[in-house]
Amino acid sequence: MKQTVLNEEFYMSLKQLPKPQYPFPDFIHPDFQQQREEYYTWIDTEYIIHSKEAREKHKKHQLADIASRGCPFLKTIAELRPLANYTANGAMMDDYFDRCSREEMYRITNHIMALLTGENPIEPTENGIFHLFWVLRQDAIKCEIPERIYEKFTKSMKDVFVGYAEEKVYYRTNTIPPLSMYLLIREETSGVKPYCYYVALQKEYRNLPDDVFDHPFIKRIYTLSSLMIGIHNDIISLSKELSREGDTMNLVKVLQQENKMSLTQAYEKALELHDNYLEEFLLLQKNLPYFDTFQELVYDYVQDIGIMIAGVYAWHTKDTFRYMSGGYVEGEYPTQSKKEKGSF
């Protein structure tokens, strides 16, 4: 399929088009600056697989701030650290392996999951992507994340990586997926479900029973959160993804192809879909099923998932360098030597 041509008139009007809005307040963790400094250290010590240019760009992306904004009520930076690790390492890993194959991504996923679950307890001998995920598990153990929540957190991380693998099929062939396939994959690649479980480490939510986390209403809230953030990410990154071949996993592109409409019409339809998901989220929050003595706590938990959504959006709109022309990091994995390929 031909790459979408960036319509100059649409590009000029893009900033004037309406953007997503949320009825949730925006907060940031008090230790966000300290977490930033640790993020810079990860890049300098762990991400030596990346070129110096890529590392300097990643520093400007402030990826750890997503965690600080998404879970601002965590009590300590020790609790924030595993989420910041997942967020920054996951995003930079996605950049690094941008051009790898579906099969390679599944192999990488299996290696990561063995480290996260403790199936492979051996610390990787070289710094890099795998070592950082090993560190994530050690940090989670140190801050005593309840095992059942950690398992949900890491299982949902695996689903994110599976999504990364499945979208490679479309990226490598420069093919825009059908809407149904897009929604299925984007629900995972937005990376939000691990956040939904991590929100439970705030306040008293870790006391909620598994029946709450596994309830169909709550699972639907996780899905809606994932899709809203995936869509608003697509909207923020649209100008970048219209100008790059292979960036086909964008809802505006999908809707333009599916409905044979203009970019502006596709943009408006994407925002409409986002707003429908938000309306459903709020409807579910107001009409939660009966959770007995946990009713108020569940309502507050859902509210803080909403605050997480607003926090992630605040990062997307305030730390915009990642989506500016020349600000994104190209996938460097295929250009590395065989030795470097082994040094994740």
Side-chain angles (χ1 to χ4, degrees):
M1 153 160 280
K2 292 183 178 179
Q3 178 185 358
T4 303
V5 177
L6 180 58
N7 182 288
E8 191 66 29
E9 184 177 345
F10 173 78
Y11 180 77
M12 295 299 292
S13 66
L14 185 56
K15 292 183 179 179
Q16 308 303 320
L17 291 172
K19 301 295 189 295
Q21 295 183 2
Y22 299 107
F24 311 108
D26 173 26
F27 297 94
I28 191 167
H29 196 280
D31 294 324
F32 79 94
Q33 188 60 53
Q34 183 181 344
Q35 186 60 77
R36 275 189 184 182
E37 296 301 323
E38 292 189 14
Y39 163 66
Y40 300 149
T41 300
W42 291 338
I43 292 173
D44 286 336
T45 59
E46 301 280 1
Y47 266 78
I48 52 174
I49 55 172
H50 255 153
S51 66
K52 180 174 173 49
E53 178 186 7
R55 294 198 302 272
E56 290 307 309
K57 284 184 178 181
H58 273 143
K59 287 181 182 180
K60 294 179 182 179
H61 293 171
Q62 307 292 8
L63 293 165
D65 282 12
I66 305 176
S68 298
R69 291 185 180 279
C71 286
F73 308 126
L74 293 168
K75 290 181 180 179
T76 66
I77 192 170
E79 289 184 336
L80 178 62
R81 192 172 288 125
L83 184 64
N85 183 332
Y86 153 67
T87 307
N89 194 20
M92 292 188 291
M93 177 193 81
D94 188 34
D95 289 346
Y96 181 69
F97 291 120
D98 188 41
R99 300 173 188 170
C100 79
S101 69
R102 175 181 181 273
E103 293 72 22
E104 287 171 318
M105 195 66 233
Y106 270 109
R107 175 178 61 82
I108 292 160
T109 296
N110 291 337
H111 192 163
I112 291 170
M113 292 311 301
L115 294 167
L116 286 174
T117 61
E119 178 186 345
N120 178 4
I122 301 172
E123 180 178 2
T125 57
E126 296 178 316
N127 286 356
I129 294 168
F130 293 146
H131 185 257
L132 261 181
F133 280 119
W134 180 87
V135 169
L136 188 158
R137 177 174 172 80
Q138 311 317 307
D139 287 340
I141 293 171
K142 287 177 187 175
C143 68
E144 299 180 337
I145 293 177
E147 185 175 349
R148 66 192 180 94
I149 295 179
Y150 180 76
E151 287 179 357
K152 294 177 188 298
F153 174 59
T154 54
K155 171 59 174 65
S156 60
M157 284 173 61
K158 181 179 180 180
D159 292 340
V160 174
F161 302 147
V162 167
Y164 287 168
E166 293 302 328
E167 70 183 2
K168 302 300 182 190
V169 175
Y170 298 99
Y171 285 158
R172 288 172 67 86
T173 58
N174 196 30
T175 303
I176 297 173
L179 178 60
S180 57
M181 292 302 298
Y182 162 86
L183 292 173
L184 184 62
I185 294 173
R186 201 71 178 99
E187 181 179 339
E188 305 306 335
T189 60
S190 66
V192 174
K193 288 184 182 176
Y195 267 72
C196 292
Y197 290 117
Y198 216 88
V199 167
L201 298 177
Q202 300 180 123
K203 302 177 181 178
E204 302 302 319
Y205 305 136
R206 66 183 67 198
N207 295 328
L208 292 171
D210 284 340
D211 286 349
V212 171
F213 300 124
D214 297 335
H215 194 283
F217 269 57
I218 303 301
K219 288 289 189 70
R220 180 59 181 169
I221 284 170
Y222 296 163
T223 292
L224 294 169
S225 304
S226 300
L227 291 173
M228 277 190 280
I229 289 179
I231 293 171
H232 83 220
N233 176 276
D234 285 358
I235 287 173
I236 294 297
S237 62
L238 180 59
S239 59
K240 180 203 79 169
E241 294 182 350
L242 284 171
S243 63
R244 295 178 75 224
E245 184 171 317
D247 279 349
T248 55
M249 194 62 64
N250 186 295
L251 181 59
V252 178
K253 287 186 174 185
V254 171
L255 291 172
Q256 183 189 32
Q257 172 180 272
E258 191 109 337
N259 297 288
K260 304 295 186 292
M261 55 177 50
S262 69
L263 278 171
T264 300
Q265 290 172 322
Y267 179 99
E268 291 171 347
K269 193 169 184 63
L271 185 58
E272 179 185 358
L273 184 59
H274 169 278
D275 290 348
N276 288 341
Y277 289 146
L278 176 58
E279 183 178 351
E280 183 182 348
F281 181 102
L282 296 173
L283 182 67
L284 289 178
Q285 184 185 20
K286 290 178 181 178
N287 296 276
L288 290 171
Y290 180 62
F291 289 113
D292 198 22
T293 57
F294 296 105
Q295 195 71 26
E296 185 175 348
L297 195 60
V298 174
Y299 180 89
D300 291 344
Y301 170 58
V302 174
Q303 176 69 12
D304 279 352
I305 290 176
I307 288 173
M308 177 269 291
I309 296 169
V312 175
Y313 184 64
W315 174 82
H316 274 121
T317 54
K318 294 177 183 180
D319 291 299
T320 57
F321 182 77
R322 182 172 174 85
Y323 303 107
M324 294 171 58
S325 177
Y328 45 85
V329 174
E330 299 287 354
E332 295 182 336
Y333 170 70
T335 66
Q336 305 299 310
S337 69
K338 185 176 291 187
K339 179 179 178 180
E340 287 175 316
K341 283 183 181 180
S343 304
F344 302 143

